[in-house]
Amino acid sequence: MSAKSVKGPGGKKPASAATNLIAGGGAGMMEALVCHPLDTIKVRMQLSRRKRAPGAKPRGFITTGKEIVKRETVLGLYKGLGAVVTGIVPKMAIRFTSYEWYKQLLANKDGVVSGEATFFAGLGAGVTEAVAVVTPMEVVKIRLQAQHHSMADPLDIPKYRNAAHAAFTVLREEGVGAMYRGVSLTALRQGTNQAVNFSAYTEFKALLQRIQPAYNDKELPSYQTMFIGLVSGAMGPLSNAPIDTIKTRLQKTPAEAGETALSRVKVIARDMFKQEGFHAFYKGITPRIMRVAPGQAVTFTVYEYLKGWLESTNLAIVGGRYEE
């Protein structure tokens, strides 16, 4: 199936694969550095098995964050950052590059991408990044974030010292399959996230360009890109929070002998509902939205900025070297 010539804003030619790789990778790096502490708080809340006493207030993300800092120092909020930074650049590069590729495949004969095509291109991009890089990265990250040791005490030695050691230990003790534990749930989460995210962002961007004719054939101001990225980024977590919570618990612990992935998902979901109630499926939803929404705002803003800069300077990869 040959790729069609997709029309960008104002009929402009869409970004090249090289531009998507560079701009997407840079956007991902910035997003990880800004938002990782909220992800650590989210994971701790999802792994918490405390059952509230009748009338007791739930332990919120602020309390959880304070406890991490008190017991493990501020550095505790950055556990697993190495795994994220290692994976975030290829993840974002794969996300934007595959998204554009899927749009080309799904565009009509005139090169126009419909709303449905945008949704499925986002879905495909999310599944692609989940299989290619997100699942192994998440397994390593969650193992590191789940450790409750103090990073300020040299005598308090954790099982996993860093991202590389965690990956090596998991591979040695549990095999390659452990690095892909929860891949179906991760693909479902990433796919739905990006389907909703790209669809909402594209529609909001088109709306703002329609009501602001001056931006019909060029990129929106950064503050507008950040705002619509923030709004669209919040929609994904609200649609798939139970999937993310089950996935986190599945990836946190080694599998039992003879237990299939589907049976583990059923056991985890059943035990969560029985022991902790329906609200357990939404544990960590506040920090997740606070993590993902601004993360998408940062991602789209930096991506659009870098893409515009690369295109304005005519930066391209030619014959394996950069040329301006």
Side-chain angles (χ1 to χ4, degrees):
M1 188 176 190
S2 61
K4 310 172 189 70
S5 178
V6 177
K7 295 179 180 178
K12 188 172 64 174
K13 185 179 179 181
S16 66
T19 297
N20 281 316
L21 284 168
I22 297 169
M29 178 68 76
M30 185 61 69
E31 187 255 4
L33 294 174
V34 171
C35 301
H36 188 75
L38 289 167
D39 187 69
T40 299
I41 295 172
K42 179 211 75 169
V43 168
R44 288 291 180 84
M45 291 179 72
Q46 289 178 331
L47 294 176
S48 172
R49 299 179 184 273
R50 296 181 183 177
K51 190 170 184 179
R52 299 203 312 267
K57 291 183 178 180
R59 188 175 63 161
F61 70 94
I62 294 178
T63 301
T64 302
K66 286 181 178 178
E67 288 184 4
I68 293 173
V69 173
K70 182 178 179 180
R71 296 176 182 177
E72 307 165 47
T73 78
V74 174
L75 295 176
L77 294 171
Y78 287 90
K79 286 179 177 178
L81 180 61
V84 174
V85 170
T86 301
I88 197 76
V89 174
K91 180 181 87 168
M92 289 300 184
I94 288 169
R95 174 183 298 176
F96 284 101
T97 304
S98 63
Y99 172 66
E100 291 296 336
W101 186 76
Y102 287 128
K103 281 205 304 182
Q104 290 181 13
L105 292 181
L106 296 169
N108 65 23
K109 62 182 180 180
D110 297 318
V112 177
V113 182
S114 66
E116 292 82 0
T118 299
F119 179 89
F120 285 109
L123 183 69
V127 172
T128 301
E129 71 180 22
V131 175
V133 66
V134 174
T135 303
M137 179 187 76
E138 291 255 306
V139 170
V140 172
K141 174 183 72 73
I142 288 168
R143 295 295 180 92
L144 289 164
Q145 289 174 321
Q147 298 185 128
H148 290 258
H149 70 288
S150 172
M151 297 184 75
D153 184 358
L155 298 179
D156 188 5
I157 302 174
K159 179 176 181 179
Y160 308 117
R161 295 192 296 272
N162 50 49
H165 180 254
F168 175 77
T169 303
V170 172
L171 286 169
R172 183 186 61 193
E173 295 181 355
E174 303 171 46
V176 177
M179 296 295 287
Y180 280 88
R181 184 164 298 131
V183 64
S184 57
L185 289 175
T186 305
L188 183 59
R189 184 198 67 177
Q190 294 299 113
T192 52
N193 262 353
Q194 300 318 317
V196 172
N197 194 15
F198 277 114
S199 295
Y201 182 82
T202 301
E203 291 298 321
F204 287 142
K205 184 177 179 180
L207 174 63
L208 288 177
Q209 288 177 321
R210 281 198 304 272
I211 63 178
Q212 300 175 107
Y215 296 104
N216 187 48
D217 59 348
K218 61 181 181 179
E219 298 301 333
L220 296 169
S222 294
Y223 75 91
Q224 294 186 17
T225 301
M226 182 169 290
F227 176 73
I228 61 177
L230 184 75
V231 175
S232 62
M235 294 181 174
L238 290 171
S239 68
N240 58 24
I243 296 170
D244 188 56
T245 303
I246 294 171
K247 177 201 71 68
T248 298
R249 296 204 179 186
L250 180 72
Q251 292 176 325
K252 189 249 180 180
T253 56
E256 299 291 335
E259 195 175 36
T260 66
L262 181 59
S263 65
R264 289 197 72 209
V265 168
K266 289 179 178 178
V267 169
I268 290 170
R270 183 195 65 206
D271 289 347
M272 284 175 62
F273 184 75
K274 184 186 295 184
Q275 298 172 15
E276 304 167 62
F278 180 75
H279 77 277
F281 292 96
Y282 287 85
K283 280 186 175 180
I285 185 63
T286 301
R288 186 175 174 220
I289 291 176
M290 290 186 66
R291 160 71 174 83
V292 174
Q296 292 304 315
V298 171
T299 296
F300 277 117
T301 302
V302 175
Y303 171 78
E304 298 281 16
Y305 173 81
L306 289 177
K307 184 180 75 168
W309 178 78
L310 290 169
E311 291 174 342
S312 68
T313 56
N314 295 317
L315 187 64
I317 298 177
V318 181
R321 67 186 187 278
Y322 290 108
E323 286 191 358
E324 249 187 86

